[in-house]
Amino acid sequence: MPRLPPLVLLVAILIAPAHAAEPSLVVRDAWVRATPGAAAAYLTLENRSGRSDRLVSVGSPVARRVELHESRVENGIMRMRRIEGIAVPAGGSVRLEPGGLHVMLMGLHEPLAEGQGVPLTLSFESGATLAVDAEVRAR
Amino acid sequence: MTRPTAVVLLALLAAGCQQGARPGQPPLATSSPEAGVGAETERRGVAMERTLEDFTLTDDRGEPFRLSDLRGRTVLLAFGYTHCPDACPMTLADLRKVKDRLGERAKGSAFVFATVDGARDTPPVLHRYVKHFDPEFIGLTGTEAALEAIAPDFGLFYEIRRPSDGSEAYTVDHTVATYLIDQAGRLRFAYPFGTPPEEIAADTLALLAQGRSGS
């Protein structure tokens, strides 16, 4: 790894707190619905920057595998599909909510208890990552 | 495996019944102040009246269970599977809300969740699942042949979707209506996914009131 000139380092250090104070991507209302058969996480993503981004993956230590899914009713049939990413428009927001977009937590290592926090790490196309604790609700 | 045509059949059947109950049948109250459904609310449920074939499946205690075992009670029936992370918990949580709205009168009503995934949803698995939502909910499971037999009556369609990466976790596409069956075993309403529990509760209460008045 090339060594950075001291001035660049200094600038980087000065800029970092400013970014932390005004994050461009924000997660709100994260929660997990856990039943004895399956678990899904829901949340709202807000993009306060002028550049659109895309949620491309979610990780969680509680599950063997985490996927982005979309439920859609077609002709009275509920179809659920894995999707590659979820766009978050510049200056806009997207809601992952029951009956639509969700984060599917597959192969839970242990059953989730109501009230428990589930750590989620969200990775975006821009390289940004966000960590959030989603509270487990039973229904 | 049932064919999608079953869904089309239900849609056609439903379209023919959309005007409400048959002539000679007192129309069900579609609103009641108690249930909080105002006249301005658009109805989602489709009224119908058809006699259902009796069927036998296996309940969540592993015992044979006939639809006719519930004669004399109203029945709210939904199909799904326990590995379903999104839609089925919504349906069951809504059924719980319906039950809560019925209060004491819920005694006259049964709440049934029938799985379309008999391979994974054995009676013990179903038992844990339905009791998670309510101790009185009934889970039903059966062979594919048993489900095939009742599919036409409910326009039931389901299809296993295996992931392309070969992992063992599969999902099941399935029809998501909730059905209201009256005390005589006739199918009276089909509610599309997302119908407010208030509407389903109001219709159920109306049927329960009719049952009490001895009609």
Side-chain angles (χ1 to χ4, degrees):
Chain A
M1 185 141 85
R3 286 182 67 94
L4 296 169
L7 181 64
V8 174
L9 270 181
L10 178 66
V11 170
I13 288 163
L14 288 174
I15 287 174
H19 271 273
E22 253 185 72
S24 52
L25 286 164
V26 178
V27 191
R28 283 190 286 113
D29 311 326
W31 63 285
V32 168
R33 169 145 57 200
T35 70
Y42 304 97
L43 49 90
T44 297
L45 283 171
E46 207 178 303
N47 184 352
R48 294 176 181 169
S49 79
R51 204 179 56 160
S52 65
D53 209 338
R54 236 166 103 82
L55 175 67
V56 289
S57 70
V58 178
S60 178
V62 303
R64 210 166 52 225
R65 193 185 163 99
V66 183
E67 291 180 0
L68 300 175
H69 279 235
E70 181 174 26
S71 298
R72 191 185 288 243
V73 181
E74 290 167 8
N75 283 328
I77 300 167
M78 178 57 79
R79 300 190 183 276
M80 196 175 70
R81 293 288 175 271
R82 185 180 180 180
I83 52 173
E84 292 307 315
I86 296 171
V88 198
S93 65
V94 59
R95 281 179 73 173
L96 281 66
E97 57 187 344
L101 300 166
H102 57 275
V103 178
M104 188 162 163
L105 304 168
M106 304 159 86
L108 295 179
H109 300 304
E110 278 173 31
L112 300 176
E114 195 170 359
Q116 174 188 345
V118 172
L120 301 175
T121 306
L122 287 64
S123 301
F124 295 85
E125 201 168 58
S126 64
T129 59
L130 281 176
V132 64
D133 236 28
E135 191 190 300
V136 174
R137 299 182 199 162
R139 292 196 291 265
Chain B
M1 189 59 58
T2 50
R3 299 270 79 90
T5 44
V7 177
V8 177
L9 283 177
L10 180 72
L12 289 173
L13 172 88
C17 297
Q18 212 133 24
Q19 300 313 309
R22 281 178 184 172
Q25 189 69 29
L28 286 173
T30 55
S31 67
S32 96
E34 183 183 23
V37 178
E40 73 282 0
T41 313
E42 195 189 329
R43 277 197 58 88
R44 303 284 308 276
V46 176
M48 51 186 73
E49 189 180 333
R50 38 184 323 212
T51 301
L52 294 167
E53 288 290 320
D54 196 15
F55 61 72
T56 304
L57 291 169
T58 302
D59 73 13
D60 59 273
R61 297 164 307 167
E63 303 290 331
F65 194 97
R66 279 165 214 83
L67 176 63
S68 54
D69 292 344
L70 298 172
R71 217 39 72 78
R73 300 166 76 186
T74 61
V75 182
L76 280 159
L77 170 68
F79 294 91
Y81 65 110
T82 69
H83 283 70
C84 165
D86 186 47
C88 309
M90 289 175 73
T91 299
L92 282 162
D94 280 354
L95 284 179
R96 171 60 190 259
K97 286 182 194 153
V98 171
K99 182 167 181 265
D100 288 345
R101 281 190 164 264
L102 300 188
E104 274 295 293
R105 282 164 290 181
K107 287 197 189 82
S109 206
F111 296 79
V112 181
F113 179 75
T115 183
V116 293
D117 185 14
R120 288 187 297 192
D121 290 341
T122 58
V125 170
L126 257 181
H127 184 79
R128 265 195 319 144
Y129 188 74
V130 295
K131 303 307 182 204
H132 173 82
F133 293 92
D134 190 279
E136 284 165 12
F137 282 8
I138 298 164
L140 296 182
T141 185
T143 61
E144 198 163 317
L147 267 184
E148 285 279 324
I150 66 173
D153 257 346
F154 297 98
L156 175 67
F157 166 77
Y158 61 98
E159 184 175 34
I160 289 176
R161 309 288 305 198
R162 296 191 185 275
S164 50
D165 63 8
S167 67
E168 79 286 5
Y170 62 85
T171 60
V172 189
D173 290 347
H174 60 90
T175 38
V176 275
T178 294
Y179 303 93
L180 176 56
I181 300 163
D182 69 16
Q183 295 91 323
R186 291 170 303 192
L187 177 57
R188 299 295 292 273
F189 282 95
Y191 301 98
F193 183 70
T195 299
E198 295 79 7
E199 179 182 328
I200 301 175
D203 290 340
T204 308
L205 283 171
L207 281 179
L208 288 168
Q210 282 181 11
R212 263 206 316 277
S213 66
S215 66

